[in-house]
Amino acid sequence: MKDELIKRFTTYVKIDTQSNEDSQTCPSTPGQWDLLNLLVDELKEIGMEEVTIDENGYVFATLPANTNKQVPTIGFLAHVDTATDFTGKNVKPQIVENYDGGDVILNKELGIVLSPEAFPSLKNYKGQTLITTDGTTLLGADDKAGVAEIMTAMNYLIQHPEIKHGKIRVALTPDEEIGRGPHKFNVDRFGAKYAYTMDGGPLGELQYESFNAAAAKITINGNNIHPGSAKGKMVNSIKIGMELNQQLPVREAPEYTEGYEGFYHLLSFHGDVEKTELYYIIRDHDRQKFEAKKENLVKIVDQLRQKYGEDTIGLKLEDQYYNMREKIEPVKEVFENAKEAMERLDITPVIEPIRGGTDGSQLSYMGLPTPNIFAGGENMHGKYEFVSIETMMKATEVIVEIAKIFEEKAK
Ligand SMILES: [Zn+2]
């Protein structure tokens, strides 16, 4: 299992699959097609059935049931694209065997070092096999670790027919990092009752709570007049933007919040006297608090409209995704079985709310309850990204164990 994971993972990361927000196609970049097509070949090679790739690049495959019990169909998902934050071109994975707990020199020439002083979590990996970057790219463990784990787990189940399981569906998908992963995901055609994204971080992560999310674009129209003769006439849109932002609760911002605390995040503020645009995202795990935050913003905009004129301020407020907990709690077995799988493998489940969203946040509302499981990556989206092969092996075992548990509990 170890060699297979290393081989698959190091092959996948060498293919540049960075997604691109500015592209209108799906997948957003051609490199994703390269990996998706390779995975189609590999799925066929290991003996998966119903291997398909649709016009948007979504790869689906089936591992048929090998039991007569009525087991619900479950799915495993991973995304092939890498983050937009840092380059994923020419990734040169470095293998560090039997990591000694000290500094890892990523790049001698450039003096780039992965150090436990800067990244204390490294100490958890002493004695393990790490895969790192060469300091010039990201690694892409997010989420090619997940892809490699699902592939290896399916191959393992095929090689071990004595392990009984129901029908398993696999989906390898594009464009998660730009939030479009589920947009063209055909939930009906996938045909699973539950699914799991293998897209979390360190060992034990099990997540079924995400933010509720909205975005607000505010446009302020000013009136620019020569400053020498502006009295009573000039309307400075920048200043109205500042006034608006000042009325939001100062402490409800990303830099002051953690755990279950929500926020308003001012992402961008561009303006001149004539016109100013502010772009906010609003996040909260609690649906009521989320709605209250949106109402508060609407109220502030209304008050400023009364003060400066109805047409002065435009507000476009849109929900982006919701907390998947609402959809997962009523079908607790999807979550409980994952937890039990970890406990059977002596992994302590780390159940914490995600301060973000996953493909599962959207899929859960499309009718496919989808919690998120660790894939192993650390320091994701940058040059210090690394993954431990031992964690990837555990994630692979969790997939196998979940399949077993669903079969055992079925009649
Ligand atoms: Zn990811």
Side-chain angles (χ1 to χ4, degrees), residues 79 81 141-143 176-177 198-200 380-381:
H79 64 90
D81 63 315
D142 179 8
D143 184 26
E176 190 268 356
E177 297 289 356
M198 300 302 298
D199 193 18
M380 292 186 284
H381 298 192

Side-chain angles (χ1 to χ4, degrees), residues 264-278:
Y264 302 85
H265 175 36
L266 177 57
L267 254 116
S268 69
F269 189 136
H270 295 289
D272 51 29
V273 174
E274 191 68 25
K275 189 175 177 179
T276 294
E277 285 185 335
L278 292 85

